[in-house]
Structures are given as structure tokens and as C-alpha cells.
Amino acid sequence: MGFARTCSVALVGVEGVAVEVQADLEPGVAAFTLVGLPDKSLSESRDRVRAAVVNSGAEWPQKKLTVGLSPASVPKGGSGFDLAVACAVLGAAERLDPRAIADLMMIGELGLDGRVCPVRGVLPAVLAAADAGYRHVVVPERSAAEAALVPGVSVLGVRSLRQLIAVLTDEPVPEEDDPSPGEGRPDPLPAALALPGTMPMAATRPGERPPDLAEVAGQTRARRALEVAAAGRHHVYFLGPPGAGKTLLAERLPGLLPPLTPQESLEVTAVHSVAGVLPAGQPLIQRAPYCAPHHSASMPSLVGGGSGLPRPGAVSLAHRGVLFMDEAPEFSGRVLDALRQPLESGHVVVARSGGMMRLPAAFLLALAANPCPCGRHGMTGDGCDCPPQAVRRYLSRLSGPLMDRVDLRVRVEPVTRSELTGTGTGDGTGAESTAEVAARVRTARERAAARYAGTPWRTNSEVPGHELRTRWRAGPDALGEAERDMERGLLTARGLDRVLRVAWTVADLAGHDRPDAGDVAQALELRTGVQRGAVTTGGRP
């Protein structure tokens, strides 16, 4: 009788659970039994592993073989257990020293010829291994850069099972052909790793110039709202006719956000790794992601779902970045209202028959909508053909509780001829580039971070209203107008707190120590759309 064990990782959402892979050989009729709550793809590993072992030059044991995955109560799926199962079997057959593999964490899919293929979720799997105390990890060679992002872990990248056997037995390591395709041939592996319906989150393709805010003509008020949204991570809503520039503005929002911190980069990369949408040659995502689902998106595709345990949806793929919902009233009402929990808490809890899962979803929401179904309501020239009931019904698809969580609401007017052609622009304030605005955003973020040092918050949108009303008070009589709006029923208690948060962001952009009445007036204007004073750009009237 032979016995050996090694380790792998089961992914539950974007979190990993260390799994001990045990192999036991007993005399009897040759059979291969896999136990431990495996799913269909994992059950098929029996045939993949057998073929890979034989084609790697090792002998398959002709005995009764039982492979157990412990803890047995945790659902396990995917092909990432193949490498660990193969080594545990070879250890039980004494082809490998069981002591050499007992403390190794192995992640990788095996091809029938013994190649080690990449799998989704290598980064969160290695993070789980490090948390469980493992210091040596074996992964596919093409995933080694991703695994090496985890500090304190020694990573061995292998191309084939044959190479791993040689390393573990101190034999000469055989040369293996590079598994990447030849020049001009597409690589099917990265595309095959992506979950159905997901897409790369980069706002631009490699080699393309990122969109610049200087390309947006006019829209001084909307540009200001975009700057405030980026500086304080406030959700924004653009309402205007088709062609006014709502989508252009939203596409330039990620460029205004500061680069991700090291911790945020690991969080975002882990989510994208699980979804299989990591950009080729970029194991670590350092810029804010951008996700713009179509208005036909279903509930599982937006908040997460799928058969068995849920998988990340668009709200998680936009974690620490921007979720843009164009033509927002065209989305299902149930889908829109499902955003209310993550907008408030920064995460989404998805319950399915296979289990319950908490997925990160701290995103900046940008909504865009036409004023009516035909889009011409309130425009000069061609009149709107929509009856008043249709206009009200169209905009009421964005529920009150959802809109109460949106801090900035801006009316985007059609661009004039002079703004579009560049004539009669006066001071030219509408030509600021993304780099210029991003510099002010970065300075405002630094002011907020210094103020909230020693607290769990970093941006104004995260701070509870109670703290802003007691610990970080606005200037004398600064909230008078906002409080009157609340008494008249124009603001809810949540709305007042959000106005105060926006006022702090306006103050940070202007270099004020605390919000004054002018900062609060700007915050009220950005929330209600009612003009209450001069709009400033970069802290200057």
C-alpha cells in the first residue's frame, strides 16, 4: 500500500481555500476514484491525469487508486487540481518521494501530452497558499509572473509534468518547446480562460492612445462634475440629448483617477484573474479598470452568478475603477436596483444554491440617460414627440433609492457651434487635458488621505456622515442652505450627508481647510442641478 499527499487551492469566488490532495494505492482491481465534492470538470481530471502521466514517461499504477480532496465539505471545481493529483499519484506509486511533495502547493491543468496549462485565479490561489503557511508553489510557466506578485513565496514555473518530475527527483531537466504559438498565430489559451460574457477591462487596446479630456468640446459644468467625481469617488449621473457628449465624458473618467495602490492592484488583479481577463503580458493591473456593460445585461452578468458558486460580475470587474451604464433607463429595473447594496457597502453578497459569496464591488458609478425615449425633450428645433406620461415613465425607471445614492447629477446640454469649432471660447477653459485635471485630482486625494490618516477611509465618499458632522465639521453657517433644502423635503438625511461629502471634495480641490458656504452651494448645485452660484474650475471662479 502506498500513500502520498500534496496541496492545491479551491477558489470560492475571489478567495482561495487550501486543499490537501491525498492519494492512496491498495491491491485490487485497477480503478481510479476521486472523492471530495468535485464538480464535472474536476471529475474529468481522472482521464487527463492518466494520459499526462503515461505520456510523460512514467508508469501508471495498476492498483486500486483513491484520490481524496480535503476538506471534503468545500465544493471544488476547475482543472487547476490536475498537477497536484498527478504528483500525489506518483508519490503514492513511489515514483516521487512523498516527503518532497508534502509541503508543495501545486496549481495547473494538464494536457494529455503532459503540458502544464494556465488556469484562472492563480493570484488569489497563491495568496491563499501564503496565508495558509505554504512557501513553495508550483504553477504553469506562463502564470509564474502572476504568482510571483505574492511576497514571501518561492514560485517554480514549469512547462510540463516531465520537467516537474525531473526537478523533484534531481534528474536533468528536459528541454521543452515553448508552448506559445508561432509568429502570426493567435494564442487560444488566454481567450479560453475568460468566463463567457466577460471582456477585457482596459479602456484602450495596446498601442492605442488613451482618450483625452481635451477632446471634449465645451461642457464646462459636466467637466467640473467629472473632476469632483474623480477627486472624491462620487457617483455621477449625466442627463442630456444624444450626441451631447455623455459617453465621451464617462470614457475619460478612468484617466482622471490616480494609479492604484499596491494593495488595490492586488485586489483588482485577483478579481480579473478569477474572471480570466488579465491583459496579456500584464500580470499586475495598476490603472483603474473600466467596465461598460450593454443595457441588455442580465442580473448574474452584472452582480455575479453562474451555475454552482457565483462568479464575478461587472460590478466586481469594475472594483476600484469605473462602472459606466450608458442608456441607464434601458436597463432592467431589477438590475438597476441590485446596485443599491454595492453602492452603499462596497461589496456584493450573492446567494446561490451552491453557496453564499461576498465579492468586492467598490466602484465609481457613472450613469447616462436621454431626457426621454426619443431624446429630444427640451431641445430647440425638432420637437419631442413623447407624451408627458412617456417622459415620466422613462426617467422613473431609475428608482428614487438608487438616485439617492448618486452624488452628482448634471444636465449635459448640446454643444454650440462656437464650442465645437473653437471660435469664441474666450479664456479657453474647456481645453484642459486629462493630465492637467488628473494633477488636481491627485492633489485633492492627497489632502483627503492626510486628513483621514489613521482611519479606515481614504476618500470623502467613504466617510460616514456622522463623522463629518461631528469630527470634521464644515465652516460656520456653511450648511444653512442644505439644511433648509432638507426641511423642504428636497434632501433626505442620506442626501444631506452626501452633499457634505461632496462639499469636502470641492474644498479639497479649492485648497480650503474645511468647506465654506460656497463649497456647500456648489455641492448642492451638483446634486440638485439648481444653479446656486458660479461654477469653478480648479478651485478658481
Side-chain angles (χ1 to χ4, degrees):
M1 183 180 71
F3 176 83
R5 61 181 178 87
T6 187
C7 295
S8 191
V9 176
L11 287 177
V12 182
V14 294
E15 298 178 356
V17 178
V19 173
E20 186 174 276
V21 181
Q22 306 166 348
D24 177 73
L25 281 175
E26 297 180 352
V29 177
F32 188 171
T33 304
L34 183 63
V35 297
L37 213 58
D39 71 353
K40 179 67 174 177
S41 60
L42 181 51
S43 297
E44 292 175 349
S45 69
R46 293 174 297 184
D47 299 317
R48 290 194 301 270
V49 168
R50 182 186 290 107
V53 168
V54 173
N55 290 326
S56 297
E59 182 179 353
W60 184 260
Q62 298 300 317
K63 295 182 180 180
K64 181 181 178 181
L65 171 62
T66 303
V67 173
L69 308 175
S70 178
S73 59
V74 175
K76 305 166 190 71
S79 55
F81 290 87
D82 288 3
L83 196 59
V85 171
C87 287
V89 172
L90 292 175
E94 299 183 351
R95 176 65 177 87
L96 298 176
D97 185 352
R99 293 171 298 180
I101 62 174
D103 296 324
L104 289 180
M105 181 69 71
M106 301 186 186
I107 305 161
E109 176 185 332
L110 287 176
L112 300 184
D113 57 355
R115 288 178 302 163
V116 181
C117 306
V119 294
R120 292 191 298 263
V122 167
L123 177 59
V126 177
L127 286 170
D131 292 341
Y134 292 91
R135 293 294 173 259
H136 302 282
V137 178
V138 181
V139 298
E141 183 183 58
R142 298 171 70 176
S143 301
E146 181 183 345
L149 296 173
V150 182
V153 175
S154 174
V155 178
L156 172 63
V158 294
R159 291 184 181 178
S160 67
L161 178 61
R162 188 182 298 105
Q163 283 188 339
L164 180 57
I165 293 173
V167 170
L168 294 175
T169 56
D170 293 326
E171 298 174 358
V173 179
E175 292 291 335
E176 298 284 0
D177 294 335
D178 188 348
S180 59
E183 184 177 357
R185 292 172 52 198
D187 189 352
L189 286 177
L193 294 180
L195 294 174
T198 58
M199 56 184 174
M201 292 297 109
T204 57
R205 295 183 176 89
E208 287 186 349
R209 183 173 62 88
D212 198 318
L213 198 58
E215 300 166 352
V216 180
Q219 304 299 356
T220 302
R221 205 170 293 274
R223 292 165 63 95
R224 174 61 173 172
L226 211 64
E227 180 178 344
V228 173
R233 261 192 76 243
H234 302 289
H235 309 303
V236 60
Y237 170 55
F238 294 120
L239 177 67
K246 305 185 295 295
T247 302
L248 285 178
L249 289 162
E251 288 176 343
R252 283 145 183 81
L253 182 53
L256 302 180
L257 300 177
L260 301 177
T261 65
Q263 178 60 36
E264 291 172 343
S265 291
L266 287 177
E267 292 175 8
V268 173
T269 303
V271 175
H272 285 64
S273 177
V274 170
V277 293
L278 277 181
Q282 186 181 346
L284 182 66
I285 297 177
Q286 297 175 305
R287 297 295 305 177
Y290 174 78
C291 185
H294 190 260
H295 58 74
S296 61
S298 64
M299 180 82 75
S301 70
L302 191 71
V303 302
S307 59
L309 287 175
R311 294 170 176 172
V315 297
S316 296
L317 294 172
H319 181 59
R320 303 296 182 187
V322 176
L323 176 67
F324 175 48
M325 303 183 74
D326 200 4
E327 308 291 348
E330 300 294 343
F331 282 80
S332 162
R334 292 180 61 251
V335 169
L336 288 171
D337 284 338
L339 297 175
R340 288 154 57 177
Q341 181 201 12
L343 286 178
E344 200 71 26
S345 63
H347 63 267
V348 59
V349 178
V350 184
R352 295 291 186 270
S353 60
M356 184 177 294
M357 190 171 304
R358 184 178 185 269
L359 298 168
F363 56 88
L364 196 166
L365 177 65
L367 299 170
N370 294 328
C372 66
C374 75
R376 298 192 299 271
H377 184 69
M379 294 180 63
T380 58
D382 292 336
C384 174
D385 299 326
C386 304
Q389 298 90 338
V391 176
R392 288 195 299 269
R393 186 165 56 249
Y394 181 76
L395 293 179
S396 66
R397 295 177 185 176
L398 302 176
S399 67
L402 172 64
M403 294 304 298
D404 201 33
R405 291 166 167 81
V406 178
D407 301 335
L408 314 176
R409 307 172 191 178
V410 183
R411 177 81 185 202
V412 182
E413 301 295 344
V415 180
T416 64
R417 180 179 61 84
S418 61
E419 290 173 331
L420 191 62
T421 59
T423 60
T425 54
D427 58 5
T429 55
E432 280 189 309
S433 67
T434 293
E436 293 174 294
V437 179
R440 293 200 297 269
V441 169
R442 189 162 50 250
T443 300
R445 286 276 188 116
E446 290 169 355
R447 290 176 62 88
R451 180 168 61 250
Y452 303 132
T455 71
W457 315 299
R458 290 295 175 268
T459 59
N460 294 315
S461 65
E462 303 173 46
V463 185
H466 174 75
E467 297 289 337
L468 293 179
R469 293 191 301 270
T470 57
R471 186 172 176 182
W472 292 287
R473 294 178 178 271
D477 302 323
L479 291 176
E481 191 169 0
E483 291 171 348
R484 286 191 292 273
D485 278 5
M486 184 177 176
E487 291 174 355
R488 291 195 294 263
L490 301 178
L491 282 178
T492 63
R494 181 194 287 123
L496 181 63
D497 286 345
R498 290 186 174 274
V499 167
L500 188 53
R501 293 169 185 168
V502 175
W504 269 105
T505 301
V506 174
D508 288 335
L509 287 167
H512 299 162
D513 290 334
R514 57 178 177 167
D516 56 22
D519 297 327
V520 175
Q522 285 189 53
L524 280 169
E525 177 183 340
L526 288 170
R527 181 172 180 85
T528 63
V530 179
Q531 189 169 354
R532 306 178 187 238
V535 175
T536 63
T537 301
R540 302 181 300 275

